[in-house]
Amino acid sequence: MTTHLNTAPPPANLNSSRRQKLSERIAGSLRQDFLSGQFSVGHKLPTESQLALSFGVSRTVIREAIAALVADGMLETRQGAGIFVIGLQRHQPLDGPILRQDRSSNISHALNVLEVRIALETESAALAAARRNPSQEAQIQENFFEFDRLLQLGKPTGQADFAFHRSIAEATNNPFYVEVLDALGERTIPCDVNSPHATEEVLSFAYQAGLQREHLAILNAISAGDAACARDAMRAHLSASQERYRERLRDRRTRYQSGVETT
Amino acid sequence: MTTHLNTAPPPANLNSSRRQKLSERIAGSLRQDFLSGQFSVGHKLPTESQLALSFGVSRTVIREAIAALVADGMLETRQGAGIFVIGLQRHQPLDGPILRQDRSSNISHALNVLEVRIALETESAALAAARRNPSQEAQIQENFFEFDRLLQLGKPTGQADFAFHRSIAEATNNPFYVEVLDALGERTIPCDVNSPHATEEVLSFAYQAGLQREHLAILNAISAGDAACARDAMRAHLSASQERYRERLRDRRTRYQSGVETT
DNA sequence: TACCTATTTTTGTATGATGACTTTTGCAAT
DNA sequence: ATTGCAAAAGTCATCATACAAAAATAGGTA
């Protein structure tokens, strides 16, 4: 018996060697087949049983592979009909240098997203003030304090920030607000430490405490049921965020011009 | 054995009402839980068996839901260890599984979409007024007259209506406005003859001429560069649309009560 | 404590069965 | 010959069960 001393915790060296699941291998194989143009949109794949047979695995594995590709937007399954190709040019799975590249030139994108958020969230804040039920009000407040707790602990707050805004969208009782906000997704989180454009300034206590002050104004307005006030507070918050972004752009330019490099 | 993949042409009613799979529902539910901040990165989920129990489905379904989220980059499964949250902020395409669902049969949903549009488009109209370049201004006007031309010819105008709104979003010079509007898609068109809830009243000349009057006010404001006025005109337009929807709801109720059935 | 081993837990894979939905086929009526 | 409809076959969706494989845990020995 081989004995490894590894009582190591699971801290998960993420993308390192891990035996690939069969369904992942097969999903990758199929994905490559699609991308190489062997199948065109609308084509029907062989049945699950046939695929299972030809790959030499069980139908379970095939189904999980198909499920992954469906989640990617490449395939569509129709009960009783079959499996069909519906799209090919989707984003890469995960391991993207593409993602990182995308981020680096992304501050201008973030500014654009913020602009859309101003439109969306000023209204959602107003609606939330008018319509929130007690449970939703409590949820908003909870997320507010969660942000605060993480802030005191010096932990990353980006996710809590998003949760706060999201719970306000939920309090509109209009599911589309939530869905649009979700769709905008991570691009809406400006201040996560995990973000590639996190700087010391973003992480500073003072910076985040400022955010929290703005959040508090929003929370108070919604709790009070003051729609107009909530609208203004949200607009002030997001406008301030926009301004913070612009400042960061200026900072970067300044640092570049003065030749300060900390590599 | 000729095992060639047949190109059997499925009716391809893509986003038509299709019963959602259990695994998709559960994946969506879990995804929303993550985004609302209930679980943080590194958190270990309950075991598959426990999840199956708590959701009241078989382990197979849970596994497929998990597989989809793994493909999304949200989760990681480790054999013998469990299921872990590894990332939340994966950008999801705007026409994601939820928005792609067909809800056109439900007027209340259309009202919700319209509410989001009010938030979005009042701002986009204002921004368009401030930023449009000559070419974009011309494009908006062209779409306006195209609507008019179709109206005179008695042809369907829904598409042109959408094009008009879309060109305004384009004139903001912020691509995300266009993206979000596109994602909301055709469900945002209240007056298409192809829409399942087209009625004689919707198709009436007077009705659409009214629409066009509102459009004209918007166009004039944008051409004049008057942001505040554009904002007001757009809000008036969409609010009026909302009201028209509500009227249609009342009509339907009235017809039902008086026993008139127009299968 | 340190190390090794056995047990338990948990995910991965396989198999078979049943239900639901779609497409095709066959047959009857016009 | 064409149309309409019902039966049949094909296919995915879900369930239940079993076993294998990897990891975590507990226990024992020096």
Side-chain angles (χ1 to χ4, degrees), chain A:
Chain A
M1 310 276 189
T2 62
T3 70
H4 33 295
L5 332 171
N6 191 5
T7 55
N13 37 357
L14 289 177
N15 39 8
S16 81
S17 61
R18 213 183 89 253
R19 213 195 70 190
Q20 209 174 16
K21 293 200 297 184
L22 280 181
S23 59
E24 283 171 356
R25 271 224 309 266
I26 289 172
S29 170
L30 288 175
R31 194 195 314 270
Q32 294 218 334
D33 286 349
F34 300 150
L35 292 177
S36 70
Q38 301 191 21
F39 307 89
S40 54
V41 174
H43 272 201
K44 179 178 179 295
L45 267 63
T47 71
E48 292 178 348
S49 306
Q50 285 173 318
L51 286 172
L53 206 63
S54 70
F55 276 103
V57 299
S58 77
R59 211 180 127 229
T60 310
V61 172
I62 295 293
R63 279 190 61 78
E64 289 200 11
I66 299 297
L69 294 176
V70 168
D72 260 11
M74 277 190 170
L75 297 181
E76 180 194 41
T77 60
R78 296 222 298 281
Q79 185 176 188
I83 309 168
F84 301 87
V85 180
I86 61 174
L88 300 179
Q89 75 303 18
R90 287 298 191 182
H91 47 257
Q92 291 284 32
L94 273 183
D95 34 68
I98 307 168
L99 279 186
R100 210 162 297 143
Q101 227 172 18
D102 196 22
R103 301 277 183 282
S104 61
S105 63
N106 210 333
I107 289 194
S108 69
H109 273 209
L111 279 170
N112 279 335
V113 170
L114 265 176
E115 191 170 83
V116 176
R117 282 185 70 187
I118 289 180
L120 266 180
E121 297 205 48
T122 53
E123 279 302 302
S124 74
L127 291 172
R131 296 182 185 161
R132 82 278 183 276
N133 67 32
S135 153
Q136 290 164 335
E137 184 183 346
Q139 184 64 51
I140 297 172
Q141 182 165 329
E142 240 171 67
N143 287 329
F144 173 85
F145 281 118
E146 174 67 9
F147 185 102
D148 204 62
R149 191 180 67 82
L150 292 173
L151 180 55
Q152 303 296 334
L153 265 58
K155 289 189 175 179
T157 57
Q159 188 182 321
D161 184 31
F162 183 67
F164 176 75
H165 284 269
R166 192 177 188 279
S167 57
I168 291 174
E170 272 179 343
T172 64
N173 289 303
N174 178 343
F176 285 104
Y177 273 109
V178 183
E179 287 169 25
V180 173
L181 193 59
D182 280 349
L184 290 175
E186 84 146 17
R187 289 178 293 202
T188 67
I189 308 178
C191 321
D192 196 333
V193 286
N194 299 320
S195 160
H197 22 87
T199 66
E200 330 70 53
E201 199 250 341
V202 172
L203 304 181
S204 77
F205 189 88
Y207 176 90
Q208 297 186 66
L211 278 184
Q212 190 67 328
R213 259 197 307 277
E214 296 167 11
H215 282 176
L216 180 58
I218 298 169
L219 172 61
N220 282 336
I222 291 178
S223 280
D226 187 338
C229 186
R231 189 194 313 264
D232 293 343
M234 181 62 86
R235 184 178 289 273
H237 172 47
L238 293 176
S239 297
S241 281
Q242 244 185 348
E243 189 49 43
R244 286 188 281 265
Y245 262 98
R246 291 208 187 85
E247 244 168 56
R248 213 181 304 173
L249 277 177
R250 276 195 296 275
D251 276 1
R252 185 187 277 187
R253 195 165 55 230
T254 305
R255 267 202 303 276
Y256 176 77
Q257 285 170 342
S258 59
V260 175
E261 291 295 332
T262 62
T263 306

Side-chain angles (χ1 to χ4, degrees), chain B residues 152-179:
Chain B
Q152 303 297 334
L153 265 57
K155 289 189 174 178
T157 57
Q159 204 83 27
D161 184 31
F162 184 67
F164 177 74
H165 285 270
R166 192 177 190 279
S167 59
I168 291 174
E170 272 178 344
T172 63
N173 289 303
N174 178 343
F176 285 106
Y177 272 110
V178 184
E179 210 176 307

Side-chain angles (χ1 to χ4, degrees), chain B residues 26-252:
Chain B
I26 289 173
S29 170
L30 288 175
R31 193 198 312 272
Q32 297 222 335
D33 286 349
F34 301 150
L35 289 174
S36 70
Q38 300 190 22
F39 303 88
S40 52
V41 174
H43 189 269
K44 178 176 178 299
L45 267 65
T47 71
E48 293 178 349
S49 306
Q50 286 172 319
L51 287 173
L53 206 64
S54 69
F55 277 102
V57 298
S58 76
R59 204 181 136 215
T60 308
V61 172
I62 295 294
R63 280 189 60 80
E64 288 201 12
I66 299 297
L69 295 176
V70 168
D72 262 9
M74 277 189 169
L75 298 181
E76 180 194 41
T77 59
R78 297 220 294 280
Q79 186 175 187
I83 309 169
F84 300 87
V85 181
I86 61 173
L88 301 177
Q89 68 285 52
R90 177 126 173 83
H91 157 57
Q92 175 137 357
L94 278 176
D95 63 344
I98 311 171
L99 275 181
R100 208 184 316 169
Q101 271 178 55
D102 184 62
R103 289 167 156 154
S104 57
S105 58
N106 203 331
I107 290 194
S108 74
H109 280 155
L111 278 170
N112 278 336
V113 171
L114 217 43
E115 190 170 84
V116 175
R117 280 186 72 188
I118 290 180
L120 268 178
E121 297 205 47
T122 53
E123 278 304 301
S124 74
L127 290 171
R131 296 181 186 162
R132 82 276 181 277
N133 65 32
S135 154
Q136 290 163 335
E137 183 182 348
Q139 184 65 51
I140 296 172
Q141 183 165 327
E142 239 172 69
N143 287 330
F144 173 86
F145 282 119
E146 174 65 9
F147 184 103
D148 204 62
R149 192 180 67 82
L150 293 173
L151 180 56
Q152 303 297 334
L153 265 57
K155 289 189 174 178
T157 57
Q159 204 83 27
D161 184 31
F162 184 67
F164 177 74
H165 285 270
R166 192 177 190 279
S167 59
I168 291 174
E170 272 178 344
T172 63
N173 289 303
N174 178 343
F176 285 106
Y177 272 110
V178 184
E179 210 176 307
V180 173
L181 192 59
D182 280 346
L184 291 174
E186 286 103 30
R187 283 176 295 283
T188 66
I189 308 175
C191 323
D192 196 333
V193 287
N194 299 320
S195 159
H197 23 86
T199 67
E200 329 72 51
E201 199 250 339
V202 172
L203 305 180
S204 77
F205 188 87
Y207 176 90
Q208 297 186 68
L211 279 185
Q212 192 65 329
R213 259 197 308 278
E214 295 167 12
H215 282 176
L216 180 58
I218 298 169
L219 173 60
N220 282 335
I222 292 179
S223 280
D226 187 339
C229 186
R231 188 195 314 264
D232 293 343
M234 180 61 86
R235 183 177 291 271
H237 173 46
L238 292 176
S239 297
S241 282
Q242 244 186 349
E243 190 48 42
R244 287 188 281 266
Y245 261 98
R246 291 207 187 87
E247 244 169 57
R248 213 180 305 173
L249 276 177
R250 277 194 296 273
D251 277 1
R252 183 188 278 188

